[in-house]
Amino acid sequence: MMFYELAKITVRFGTAAKAAEGIQAYVNAPGARGTLHGVWFSDIGDLNQIAILRSFDTAEDLLAERQRGLESDNPFGAAELMVKLEWESYKGFPWLSAPEAGAYGGVYEIRTYKFKTGGLPHTLAAWEGALPARAEVSPCLAAMYALDGEPRFTQVWPYADLNERAKARADAVKQGIWPPKGGPDWLTTDMYSQVFVPMAISPLK
């Protein structure tokens, strides 16, 4: 089971490419922990954001890397470009492995749902049963539940483009394989989504 950090950096307009240089140096620095998976720039939703997804083998590694960031005067090598920095900690769904580097699509949707009280075990069971069939339509690269903040879980879905996204979602519903049976019963109506495009340094492209 993997631990994940999803960091979001809001940068000044027109500085994303320069920020990417700093991000690459920061995550590859001596002593840095974790595996970099995605570096994406927001295209729909909150704009001028860079999302950075890393995984860790242990919670200790995640916390050590977070501590490094908190103690740094230049986190992600982009302090002078930042307007805002957010860190979120997650644990991966236990039966879903970390994503492998590769080209999956031109757009990535990062989608978050909030749980009703006690909703996590029901969600895990529903997704474990339904995701294999859903993945035949289009893959889910990551599904993870938050270890801090409000009870919620976040998913990462790649698509070739927005037309493919619309088609895949419609096909899954038409086939009756998505959403997972009983899954929505344990969710609130507080949901949000952003669409990102991969940056050049992203292992997930």
Side-chain angles (χ1 to χ4, degrees):
M1 184 181 298
M2 303 301 297
F3 293 84
Y4 289 94
E5 177 186 84
L6 179 62
K8 290 184 179 179
I9 302 173
T10 304
V11 296
R12 298 199 309 271
F13 182 75
T15 64
K18 185 176 181 181
E21 296 175 5
I23 292 167
Q24 187 170 41
Y26 181 85
V27 301
N28 291 323
R33 305 192 192 191
T35 299
L36 179 67
H37 295 291
V39 183
W40 304 289
F41 192 62
S42 60
D43 189 54
I44 298 175
D46 292 338
L47 300 178
N48 296 310
Q49 278 194 350
I50 300 173
I52 305 160
L53 180 68
R54 292 187 288 174
S55 69
F56 303 84
D57 291 331
T58 67
E60 290 75 16
D61 282 345
L62 186 155
L63 291 174
E65 186 65 8
R66 180 69 51 80
Q67 191 68 33
R68 182 172 80 99
L70 290 169
E71 293 177 354
S72 174
D73 61 0
N74 191 22
F76 292 106
E80 65 176 7
L81 310 175
M82 287 183 192
V83 176
K84 184 179 181 181
L85 169 60
E86 303 170 84
W87 276 296
E88 298 176 357
S89 303
Y90 290 91
K91 198 170 187 178
F93 283 19
W95 34 264
L96 192 62
S97 59
E100 296 184 4
Y104 293 88
V107 299
Y108 284 73
E109 181 179 18
I110 300 180
R111 192 174 185 90
T112 297
Y113 297 151
K114 294 185 180 178
F115 295 120
K116 293 179 181 177
T117 301
L120 175 59
H122 301 279
T123 298
L124 291 175
W127 271 62
E128 185 174 15
L131 191 58
R134 176 64 178 84
E136 292 295 320
V137 180
S138 65
C140 178
L141 290 184
M144 50 199 182
Y145 59 91
L147 299 174
D148 46 24
E150 294 185 75
R152 67 197 187 281
F153 72 102
T154 294
Q155 318 133 51
V156 180
W157 299 86
Y159 299 97
D161 52 38
L162 293 178
N163 288 331
E164 183 187 78
R165 174 185 177 274
K167 183 178 184 303
R169 289 172 57 82
D171 286 350
V173 172
K174 184 177 180 180
Q175 294 179 42
I177 59 177
W178 205 256
K181 296 293 189 294
D185 296 342
W186 293 95
L187 305 178
T188 73
T189 57
D190 195 352
M191 307 170 178
Y192 50 93
S193 182
Q194 282 179 274
V195 172
F196 292 81
V197 295
M199 302 186 75
I201 66 170
S202 180
L204 293 173
K205 300 187 182 299

